């Protein structure tokens, strides 16, 4: 877990995301939660667009900060 958290933290740092360690922890917990829901409720897998989920996670954790940087 610590190794995975460190990798994500470093990726977020590279993208100039504020509070990268905290954001990494939130991201890991969020991904785990989505995965658990899909495992427990297989019908959700059919309803959820995985590419859209990836895009939304990116926007939440990276994209919005990069947009702010470009406008600053």
């Amino acid at each position: 877990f610590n190794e995975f958290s460190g990798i994500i933290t470093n990726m977020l740092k590279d993208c100039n995301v504020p509070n990268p360690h905290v954001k990494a922890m939130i991201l890991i917990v969020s991904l785990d939660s989505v995965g658990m829901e899909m495992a427990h409720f297989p019908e959700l897998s059919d309803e959820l667009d995985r590419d859209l989920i990836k895009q939304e996670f990116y926007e939440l954790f990276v994209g919005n900060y990069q947009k702010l940087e470009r406008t600053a």
Side-chain angles (χ1 to χ4, degrees):
F1 180 84
N2 288 334
E3 183 178 346
F4 186 58
S5 173
I7 290 168
I8 293 175
T9 298
N10 288 334
M11 288 174 20
L12 294 174
K13 278 183 189 176
D14 290 345
C15 294
N16 297 318
V17 172
N19 305 311
H21 182 69
V22 173
K23 298 272 186 344
M25 300 302 262
I26 294 169
L27 177 58
I28 292 168
V29 170
S30 298
L31 290 170
D32 186 51
S33 178
V34 169
M36 292 294 284
E37 288 298 318
M38 292 174 93
H40 289 293
F41 303 101
E43 64 274 10
L44 288 178
S45 291
D46 297 334
E47 295 176 21
L48 296 175
D49 180 343
R50 289 188 176 153
D51 288 333
L52 182 58
I53 291 172
K54 288 183 222 174
Q55 179 183 345
E56 290 297 329
F57 269 111
Y58 176 82
E59 286 298 319
L60 279 169
F61 290 95
V62 177
N64 290 324
Y65 298 105
Q66 289 184 337
K67 287 176 191 169
L68 286 173
E69 244 182 26
R70 280 185 236 131
T71 59

